[in-house]
Amino acid sequence: PNITVVRERVDALPSEGLTIVSTGPLTAPGLAESIGAATGKDALAFFDAIAPIVHHDSIDMSVAWMQSRWDKGETKDYINCAMNKEQYLAFHTGLIEGEKTEFKEWENVPYFEGCMPIEVMAARGVDTLRYGPMKPVGLDDPRTGRWPYAVVQLRQDNASGTLWNIVGFQTKLKHAEQVRLFRTIPGLENAEFARLGGLHRNTFIRSPELLDPTLRLKSRPHIRFAGQITGCEGYVESASIGLLAGRFAVAELRGEILAPPPVETALGALLHHITGAAEAETYQPMNVNFGLFPPISGRTKKADRKLLYTARAREALAEWIAA
């Protein structure tokens, strides 16, 4: 009885009144412009150019090494995986011949030079990648003391350092093909992927710098964002962030404070990621995965780790519900 459904197109964010925006990946141009004006044009994306993300503990650091190009900066920002000529040429052939997904007619996603699929770059010439995302200059392989023939770089993707993004590897290769081919990269033979690459139409905002922990737009706190437009990926994840937005809104209307779910839980870890823990400059949509959770303290067997994550989450969730 307290709900009225109004079926009409909305072309602008309201200037007042508690509002939840959950327009999803195909937001209409008028409303997208209004969101862009409220968030800043650079903070609104109209497509995913997603590179794969690897769990740090699955990278073989006896083969890979940490170094920034030319050793610039105080920190070593990249994990580097070196290739010799034979390995590179085989990898290049795999990119060209690998099975790829096609755009849907409604996606109509243009290629931009700044987010070109890696297989499209590879098709431009055998050495194109060696002058692009796989260029080896300024990187000394500690095993040889020399620059490699080509290098694959990974950049930290979350604050805790459990997830690493393969730089410049956005791709339309099918998922099984990505796993097979990317595990031929030295150091990634046993890589476990938190997310695989892709490119498709998807409107989403740069949530880590725009939203507060209860999904409110910092510049306009009467507006909350929910679902895929926040940069979560997957049906369960989108519905969950929508549920949380609704719960936060109800608490606000009642004059109450609802604490976000604990970061040790799946919903809490995802919410924490999209509202601050992710790297804002390279932010791309994300599924729930164990790399978003705070690491388990102490040394544990890999086989036991998920059970420990789960037990810890149950305990944290019970405390949150009780509170």
Side-chain angles (χ1 to χ4, degrees):
N2 295 325
I3 294 175
T4 301
V5 177
V6 180
R7 301 188 184 280
E8 63 182 34
R9 194 178 72 195
V10 177
D11 287 323
L13 294 175
S15 58
E16 60 183 9
L18 197 152
T19 303
I20 297 176
V21 179
S22 56
T23 53
L26 304 181
T27 303
L31 185 56
E33 281 186 29
S34 179
I35 293 171
T39 60
K41 291 187 183 298
D42 291 341
L44 180 68
F46 294 98
F47 57 91
D48 290 345
I50 297 178
I53 288 181
V54 177
H55 288 278
H56 182 270
D57 61 9
S58 69
I59 301 171
D60 185 352
M61 294 304 295
S62 69
V63 175
W65 78 97
M66 296 284 299
Q67 186 188 0
S68 295
R69 200 176 301 277
W70 303 112
D71 287 318
K72 288 184 177 179
E74 296 180 2
T75 59
K76 300 180 187 298
D77 294 326
Y78 294 90
I79 293 175
N80 301 282
C81 301
M83 284 186 176
N84 59 32
K85 184 174 182 179
E86 182 182 2
Q87 291 166 330
Y88 172 79
L89 292 176
F91 184 76
H92 181 270
T93 299
L95 288 172
I96 300 294
E97 297 179 353
E99 191 176 5
K100 302 164 185 70
T101 57
E102 301 297 328
F103 284 129
K104 303 291 190 296
E105 183 179 350
W106 50 265
E107 287 183 298
N108 190 29
V109 180
Y111 290 139
F112 295 89
E113 289 298 319
C115 62
M116 189 75 63
I118 191 165
E119 63 274 9
V120 174
M121 283 189 279
R124 291 179 169 184
V126 70
D127 285 322
T128 301
L129 295 175
R130 296 181 60 242
Y131 290 89
M134 295 179 69
K135 68 180 178 183
V137 298
L139 296 166
D140 301 312
D141 187 338
R143 294 171 298 177
T144 65
R146 300 170 61 85
W147 294 356
Y149 191 77
V151 166
V152 174
Q153 290 194 302
L154 295 91
R155 178 176 52 218
Q156 187 171 326
D157 199 73
N158 66 340
S160 62
T162 57
L163 300 174
W164 288 71
N165 184 305
I166 308 181
V167 178
F169 269 49
Q170 51 272 1
T171 179
K172 290 290 285 182
L173 287 171
K174 290 193 172 180
H175 282 182
E177 201 78 328
Q178 290 183 48
V179 173
R180 181 193 66 77
L181 184 60
F182 296 158
R183 282 182 177 165
T184 67
I185 297 170
L188 301 186
E189 292 88 349
N190 298 306
E192 294 180 8
F193 296 92
R195 183 186 73 195
L196 288 162
L199 185 73
H200 57 91
R201 183 178 171 187
N202 187 4
T203 305
F204 65 97
I205 60 173
R206 193 181 290 170
S207 297
E209 65 181 17
L210 296 173
L211 302 184
D212 74 9
T214 67
L215 298 164
R216 292 184 303 185
L217 187 61
K218 293 175 184 177
S219 61
R220 300 188 187 183
H222 67 286
I223 295 174
R224 277 185 170 83
F225 284 85
Q228 276 187 271
I229 198 165
T230 65
C232 59
E233 185 92 347
Y235 294 116
V236 173
E237 289 87 340
S238 300
S240 299
I241 295 301
L243 172 63
L244 287 174
R247 293 291 301 274
F248 288 138
V250 169
E252 184 177 336
L253 284 169
R254 289 176 173 171
E256 300 170 353
I257 296 176
L258 176 64
V263 294
E264 294 83 6
T265 65
L267 265 65
L270 179 62
L271 180 68
H272 180 60
H273 180 78
I274 67 177
T275 59
E279 294 290 334
E281 289 299 316
T282 57
Y283 184 61
Q284 290 288 342
M286 177 64 78
N287 295 85
V288 165
N289 64 80
F290 282 104
L292 301 183
F293 291 67
I296 295 289
S297 58
R299 296 177 66 85
T300 57
K301 291 182 178 179
K302 200 168 186 178
D304 298 334
R305 206 168 300 156
K306 290 182 180 179
L307 290 174
L308 291 171
Y309 277 125
T310 304
R312 185 182 65 177
R314 290 180 188 277
E315 184 178 334
L317 186 63
E319 290 177 3
W320 181 69
I321 291 171

